Amino acid sequence: MAEHQQETRAAYDGVVELYASLFADRLETRPFTRAMLSTFAELVRGTGNLRTADVGCGPGHLTAMLDDLELDAFGLDLSPAMVDHARRAHPALRFDEARMEALPVEDGTLGGVLAHYSMIHTPPEELPALLAEQVRVLAPEGLLLVSFFATDTPDPVRFDHKVAPAYSWPVDRFAELLVGAGLDPFARLIHDPASERGFLDAHLLARLH
């Protein structure tokens, strides 16, 4: 495991209860994000393959939301403390510790992958390999919904996230990485965040060719 991954895991291990309490409303105050999640779930259901991974699931609140949206959802996270919390909070669902670069999932078996602000801590040079791993586990016509902080600068910007160092991305650059991984980014939603950082919230929905 890379040093930045060890640091990120330790940082999230240390804020589990606070982090979980901040997201206990399961996005009740974030209508745009809810809309993209609902669209993602509807399209995954349309593939006939309901098996969906919430990668970087944290306390499991979105895994539970995907389950409510009739997907066969399970959660994976780098942080063992987050996984423990998710298992306690949602005992009917499956949660496992895993790195996004090495998912414990068979090739071509998922109808969907959700990456909700879980790629933001990955250094830009490592992101293509991480995306390739998400593509590996998707079935043909499978869907990826990735959410991240967006910037209007030409290059990714490293910033001090409240938990661990993170990166914001120009949306077009991120979309190009999806294309390079073999995905078709066919929908995007970009909106102003309720954040002092000034970054935009971005959601890209892509389909495997």
Side-chain angles (χ1 to χ4, degrees):
M1 186 183 299
E3 182 178 353
H4 72 85
Q5 292 172 324
Q6 294 174 345
E7 293 173 353
T8 298
R9 181 176 65 177
Y12 276 97
D13 278 348
V15 296
V16 173
E17 297 305 324
L18 173 61
Y19 191 91
S21 69
L22 292 174
F23 295 100
D25 63 3
R26 292 171 58 182
L27 304 184
E28 290 176 8
T29 61
R30 305 190 69 183
F32 292 116
T33 301
R34 288 202 316 274
M36 286 299 281
L37 283 167
S38 296
T39 300
F40 167 73
E42 180 178 347
L43 293 173
V44 172
R45 291 196 304 269
T47 71
N49 181 355
L50 303 183
R51 193 174 179 221
T52 301
D54 179 9
V55 294
C57 65
H61 58 300
L62 296 188
T63 317
M65 182 175 288
L66 294 178
D67 178 71
D68 290 344
L69 292 169
E70 302 178 350
L71 298 184
D72 179 14
F74 62 97
L76 302 170
D77 201 274
L78 180 67
S79 162
M82 285 288 185
V83 170
D84 287 345
H85 178 96
R87 287 171 174 168
R88 294 194 307 272
H90 310 285
L93 300 179
R94 172 190 158 198
F95 296 94
D96 293 302
E97 184 181 343
R99 292 170 48 230
M100 293 181 69
E101 298 83 1
L103 299 174
V105 179
E106 303 86 353
D107 293 356
T109 55
L110 299 186
V113 171
L114 173 65
H116 188 75
Y117 295 91
S118 53
M119 296 185 179
I120 63 172
H121 303 294
T122 302
E125 66 275 11
E126 296 181 18
L127 198 55
L130 186 150
L131 289 171
E133 178 67 354
Q134 317 313 302
V135 167
R136 178 188 68 79
V137 300
L138 280 173
E141 303 302 314
L143 294 129
L144 169 68
L145 175 58
V146 56
S147 302
F148 57 97
F149 296 109
T151 178
D152 57 5
T153 61
D155 297 305
V157 174
R158 187 180 187 274
F159 68 97
D160 290 328
H161 185 271
K162 291 181 179 179
V163 181
Y167 298 84
S168 63
W169 275 84
V171 176
D172 287 341
R173 285 279 301 278
F174 205 111
E176 289 170 1
L177 291 179
L178 296 178
V179 171
L183 294 158
D184 173 22
F186 63 92
R188 63 177 66 182
L189 174 61
I190 306 164
H191 59 95
D192 292 337
S195 167
E196 70 277 6
R197 299 189 192 99
F199 296 130
L200 300 174
D201 284 323
H203 313 273
L204 288 177
L205 186 54
R207 181 183 287 111
L208 182 61
H209 295 302

